[in-house]
Amino acid sequence: MSTKTDILVLGGAGVDTIVHVPELPLPYADSYMIHPGIVTRAGQSGDFVALGVTALGLRTHHIDLLGDDPEGDLVRVLHRDCGIPLTEVPSARGTKRAVNLVGPDGRRLSLYDDTRSQESDRLPDATVRALASASRHAHVVITYPCAFALPALREAGVTISTDLHNWDGVNPYHEPFALAADLVFLSTTALADPERTMRDIAARGRARIVVATAGAEGAYLLADGELAHVPAVAPPAPVVDTNGAGDAFASGFLLGWLAGEDVRRCALYGAVAGAYACTVPSTRADAIGRDELLARAADLVPTSDPAAGTARKVASAGSGA
């Protein structure tokens, strides 16, 4: 099958309003003076994954609901400036938005506006099928309309990844995504027993690989029934914001995965990309490039390691490899 797109990203387009706060949790006060200011910029989970894989040289297409509003214009400009094809589905409720409170150490608290979707919101099946048939892989953000697109993606025959973010392993909202994907990312933040949740996803769903990111503790990788720890990578500059680090990890992992790399190598790429994302100010949308990622990954792998030479596979593989 001829493809025009390496990764089709579904959902997760929107804007964030960034508010720097003196500490988290934020103590109650009548008012705070915010420095360096309050900024609204395009970039939610789907935007960041699309940006991340595009910066890594993969052909990308993004589809989501957008409003005819200033926030939607910010999303359109981001995609135009980054050269990311965008299919817009009109949203009567307007473009999704959130407020991110960012502490001095880069931690963040996200407040999502839950009024931006309604029961009738859908990504048109015919459009999803057409885009999927021209794609090698689909990354699905866990927004409400995307759950209804999962059957169309499966029928189109593409592999699927998703990020469950801070799922607690119990909330039924996340299950359709967790069980339909071939590759599942999630955070350990809300998990009482990460290994049990990871194995449950693999046992009940289609996932061949489950990755649980754990911030400064690295990540945990479940593949072929074996659980491994992936060490964290030191950021190349001071940490200023952790927002988007999980999306960057997924982007780096997907670069290796689509090139047929060993899963540990894929996880290393994810760790390098995630560490870089933590150094990007929250008011900017930026991502590590392919050359820099491969160079940093090569520096972290001993030359005696059989995986050391696999970077050449990704470096030499052009888009569509």
Side-chain angles (χ1 to χ4, degrees):
M1 179 178 65
S2 176
T3 60
K4 299 179 181 178
T5 302
D6 293 310
I7 298 181
L8 171 65
V9 179
L10 293 88
V15 299
D16 287 347
T17 296
I18 310 300
V19 183
H20 289 88
V21 296
E23 60 181 305
L24 284 174
L26 186 65
Y28 174 78
D30 183 68
S31 63
Y32 282 93
M33 301 302 293
I34 300 301
H35 181 80
I38 297 174
V39 176
T40 297
R41 55 111 178 98
Q44 291 192 359
S45 186
D47 300 314
F48 281 137
V49 172
L51 176 66
V53 293
T54 297
L56 293 173
L58 297 174
R59 301 166 302 174
T60 311
H61 196 109
H62 192 183
I63 177 173
D64 198 10
L65 286 85
L66 283 180
D68 183 14
D69 48 28
E71 290 78 13
D73 291 340
L74 289 175
V75 174
R76 296 178 188 98
V77 168
L78 174 67
H79 286 71
R80 182 198 67 198
D81 290 350
C82 295
I84 304 170
L86 174 66
T87 294
E88 303 177 35
V89 178
S91 170
R93 295 290 182 95
T95 303
K96 289 185 287 295
R97 59 201 70 179
V99 175
N100 284 351
L101 306 183
V102 182
D105 59 355
R107 291 186 305 140
R108 60 84 168 78
L109 170 65
S110 296
L111 307 172
Y112 290 99
D113 183 347
D114 197 33
T115 68
R116 298 292 160 179
S117 62
Q118 52 189 342
E119 186 69 24
S120 60
D121 284 343
R122 297 288 189 277
L123 301 176
D125 270 2
T127 303
V128 170
R129 286 193 179 90
L131 291 173
S133 66
S135 303
R136 299 173 60 205
H137 179 78
H139 182 79
V140 184
V141 180
I142 56 169
T143 52
Y144 179 78
C146 290
F148 301 96
L150 292 169
L153 294 173
R154 291 253 65 102
E155 290 171 14
V158 294
T159 52
I160 299 172
S161 59
T162 193
D163 190 340
L164 306 178
H165 297 285
N166 61 338
W167 187 36
D168 61 3
V170 178
N171 189 335
Y173 175 87
H174 300 71
E175 283 207 355
F177 300 96
L179 303 184
D182 304 284
L183 170 57
V184 175
F185 301 96
L186 75 164
S187 167
T188 62
T189 303
L191 297 178
D193 186 338
E195 180 177 355
R196 183 178 65 186
T197 299
M198 295 170 73
R199 292 191 180 280
D200 183 61
I201 290 170
R204 295 196 295 128
R206 302 177 56 97
R208 293 153 32 195
I209 300 170
V210 183
V211 184
T213 55
E217 296 179 10
Y220 298 92
L221 172 67
L222 180 66
D224 297 325
E226 294 188 6
L227 185 70
H229 177 250
V230 180
V233 169
V239 172
V240 294
D241 183 20
T242 58
N243 188 46
D247 301 320
F249 187 104
S251 300
F253 194 104
L254 288 170
L255 172 69
W257 195 60
L258 288 180
E261 294 278 18
D262 175 83
V263 290
R264 289 176 181 263
R265 187 75 185 191
C266 297
L268 173 61
Y269 290 163
V272 170
Y276 177 92
C278 292
T279 69
V280 178
S282 52
T283 52
R284 281 180 22 217
D286 188 15
I288 193 170
R290 179 186 290 230
D291 291 345
E292 183 175 356
L293 182 144
L294 294 180
R296 291 186 182 279
D299 288 342
L300 293 167
V301 179
T303 55
S304 60
D305 190 326
T310 62
R312 290 192 293 271
K313 184 189 298 185
V314 174
S316 62
S319 295

